[in-house]
Amino acid sequence: MAPLDMKPNELESYWLPFTPNRAFKKKPRMFSGAKDMHFFTPDGRKVIDASSGLFCVNAGHGRETIVKAIQEAAARLDFAPPFQYGHPQLFELSSRLALLAPGDLDHTLFANSGSEAVDTALKVALAYHRSRGEASRTRFIGRERGYHGVGFGGISVGGMVANRKMFGNMLAGVDHLPTTYNRAKQAFSVGEPEWGAETADELVRLIGLHDASTIAAVIVEPVAGSTGCIPPPKGYLQKLREITEKHGILLIFDEVITGFGRLGTPFAAERYGIVPDMITFAKGVTNGAVPMSGVMVRKAIYETHMQGPEHIIELFHGYTYSGHPLAVAAGVATLNLYKDEGLFEKAKAGEARFAEAMMSLKGLPSVADIRPIGLLAGIDLDPVPGKPGVRGYDAIERMYHEHDLYVRVTMDTIIVAPPLIATDSDISQIRDRIATVIKAVA
Ligand SMILES: Cc1ncc(COP(=O)(O)O)c(C=O)c1O
């Protein structure tokens, strides 16, 4: 039984994810409220949110229509069983998503996190090939520096070494494309770099090595996000689409970050004129307000499963909280907000100004590269010699404690991703505070 005299602010019991716990607990960083472009701290400070929470609060914090929709859903239908039953708004949300996605990506499976969406997509790929009599297609191809969440599927196809090395052998039979990033050839490119489409040819080599008949799917983020924002070289994604199509390999775009306007289009797929076979999404679908994710699949994949006796389950997969009523209500309200405020178009219109603001940080001490695309940018700082991550952690501490700024930092890379509602003056403020922090940690 929990002791009744437990201290309410005991820090020890909580194990923070992806966080150096001991350093955090010595000097905690807390948010206790949020509205629009800002977080509020327990001591009453207003901190500008330059990374949309964690790339999810695309419409800004505390939006009333979303809050209201969640409140109403909670009062109306707190839970509905997702297996064998539905609730009306589920069908509304999936229909709206089908309209938003390109091509015939018309069918959605819901889950709760990006990691689950990725696992779901990988399993659908396997089941699809098996249903079509190609059960030998079990291999997945990911990419170095890719991030696809932390499930065993996601870390297997992912390519961030720290997320992989502790966890054994993971999924068997996974291979990886090389990263498209080459600083010598691409440094300080705005948008899609000129160099690098040829790295897609590595897929041809991997197909030669493994044979197409063993490969189920290729999974990539259209813009690698969590590793530090790596935009795709011009023509690269189109090449991946051509090669996969030619060899009967499914192409999965993991759009957990790039979905819902981050690149000025509903999905990155549209920006690049590509129809992948599946899109995984999460984060922005509910504006981060309730956990929700999903996988959109093309008609042919859905239809392949709609065989056999009609009373038998077609896909033995799902989660207790797939399509949870609160998440679905938040999703519908969020899509309405994106549409009513024209936020994807706003992001597109603001791309050039945002890039200019980010690129103006070039020349500050230790800035080794800047990569803006859409309303997303990676800023690499040179690591302190022999101590990777130290400069980045120093930046995290100073931002919060001294400069009222929140930006996602991974190792020594700052990843800027303001809410799509950001005004020019918000962007200037973010830029200026980042500049101050960069100078402070130099
Ligand atoms: C591309 C991509 N896939 C998957 C995930 C995992 O999402 P979650 O943290 O919701 O499991 C992320 C999270 O940032 C992501 O960026």
Side-chain angles (χ1 to χ4, degrees):
M1 229 168 60
L4 292 174
D5 61 350
M6 195 173 152
K7 280 193 283 175
N9 291 323
E10 177 61 62
L11 295 179
E12 258 327 279
S13 56
Y14 180 50
W15 191 345
L16 289 95
F18 276 123
T19 302
N21 273 253
R22 286 157 299 158
F24 176 92
K25 286 168 188 176
K26 279 190 188 138
K27 213 175 168 193
R29 297 174 294 276
M30 307 276 203
F31 295 126
S32 50
K35 185 69 188 154
D36 299 326
M37 287 292 301
H38 294 91
F39 284 113
F40 306 115
T41 63
D43 58 347
R45 288 182 299 119
K46 212 171 151 188
V47 173
I48 195 159
D49 178 1
S51 292
S52 303
L54 203 52
F55 318 113
C56 49
V57 185
N58 291 2
H61 292 272
R63 301 305 306 265
E64 268 161 34
T65 52
I66 302 174
V67 173
K68 220 155 164 251
I70 297 167
Q71 287 170 334
E72 282 172 9
R76 183 177 62 244
L77 177 70
D78 55 354
F79 181 83
F83 310 154
Q84 311 278 10
Y85 298 85
H87 58 94
Q89 254 198 333
L90 261 176
F91 300 89
E92 182 186 349
L93 181 58
S94 46
S95 305
R96 295 276 298 275
L97 288 168
L99 288 175
L100 211 54
D104 60 351
L105 283 150
D106 289 347
H107 303 275
T108 299
L109 285 152
F110 286 113
N112 310 286
S113 65
S115 303
E116 288 177 358
V118 167
D119 265 14
T120 300
L122 300 180
K123 287 175 72 178
V124 167
L126 294 175
Y128 165 75
H129 289 301
R130 193 181 162 104
S131 300
R132 296 172 69 247
E134 289 196 82
S136 64
R137 287 189 183 263
T138 56
R139 191 180 295 281
F140 294 113
I141 311 273
R143 189 172 57 195
E144 288 168 359
R145 298 193 65 173
Y147 184 68
H148 302 289
V150 293
F152 274 103
I155 60 170
S156 302
V157 293
M160 289 171 73
V161 64
N163 299 347
R164 298 163 53 82
K165 69 179 180 191
M166 303 298 280
F167 306 111
N169 295 329
M170 304 173 280
L171 281 189
V174 172
D175 214 333
H176 291 79
L177 290 164
T179 176
T180 61
Y181 184 61
N182 181 322
R183 185 174 291 166
K185 297 204 174 359
Q186 298 169 336
F188 299 103
S189 297
V190 172
E192 293 81 2
E194 297 292 335
W195 181 91
E198 52 269 54
T199 57
D201 294 334
E202 277 296 300
L203 182 55
V204 176
R205 190 182 66 79
L206 291 178
I207 292 170
L209 174 67
H210 298 298
D211 198 76
S213 67
T214 71
I215 303 174
V218 169
I219 179 167
V220 290
E221 304 158 87
V223 173
S226 295
T227 189
C229 182
I230 303 179
K234 283 188 182 136
Y236 171 85
L237 293 170
Q238 290 80 356
K239 260 189 160 183
L240 284 189
R241 178 66 286 188
E242 281 160 27
I243 299 166
T244 48
E245 198 152 27
K246 182 168 164 206
H247 292 279
I249 298 166
L250 297 178
L251 179 62
I252 305 168
F253 273 5
D254 186 349
E255 296 230 29
V256 165
I257 288 180
T258 53
F260 304 103
R262 182 58 51 202
L263 301 187
T265 45
F267 293 97
E270 187 174 317
R271 180 174 172 120
Y272 297 107
I274 290 170
V275 183
D277 298 296
M278 290 188 242
I279 287 179
T280 51
F281 64 86
K283 300 191 187 267
V285 66
T286 59
N287 204 37
V290 185
M292 169 175 255
S293 69
V295 184
M296 279 179 282
V297 309
R298 293 182 73 171
K299 211 172 192 55
I301 296 177
Y302 178 75
E303 295 297 343
T304 298
H305 287 90
M306 298 304 123
Q307 313 284 335
E310 287 198 3
H311 65 287
I312 298 293
I313 292 165
E314 294 108 0
L315 185 70
F316 283 82
H317 178 82
Y319 302 95
T320 299
Y321 300 119
S322 294
H324 190 281
L326 269 62
V328 171
V332 171
T334 298
L335 295 192
N336 287 339
L337 198 53
Y338 289 150
K339 180 161 158 279
D340 295 346
E341 296 190 351
L343 290 184
F344 303 164
E345 295 77 11
K346 194 167 182 298
K348 192 173 195 165
E351 176 167 354
R353 279 195 305 275
F354 175 70
E356 199 182 316
M358 293 300 104
M359 293 307 284
S360 73
L361 298 165
K362 187 176 172 182
L364 291 183
S366 86
V367 172
D369 192 11
I370 304 174
R371 297 175 295 274
I373 186 165
L375 291 190
L376 185 66
I379 304 167
D380 289 346
L381 304 181
D382 279 328
V384 173
K387 294 182 182 168
V390 165
R391 197 188 304 280
Y393 195 72
D394 189 12
I396 293 173
E397 292 204 305
R398 286 174 190 266
M399 281 172 191
Y400 179 88
H401 294 291
E402 297 168 22
H403 301 288
D404 294 344
L405 170 68
Y406 164 75
V407 197
R408 172 82 179 138
V409 178
T410 180
M411 292 302 284
D412 296 301
T413 297
I414 297 169
I415 313 176
V416 193
L420 313 184
I421 57 167
T423 60
D424 287 356
S425 120
D426 293 325
I427 299 293
S428 301
Q429 204 174 95
I430 287 168
R431 182 256 168 232
D432 291 349
R433 289 188 196 184
I434 292 175
T436 309
V437 170
I438 290 176
K439 287 182 210 156
V441 300

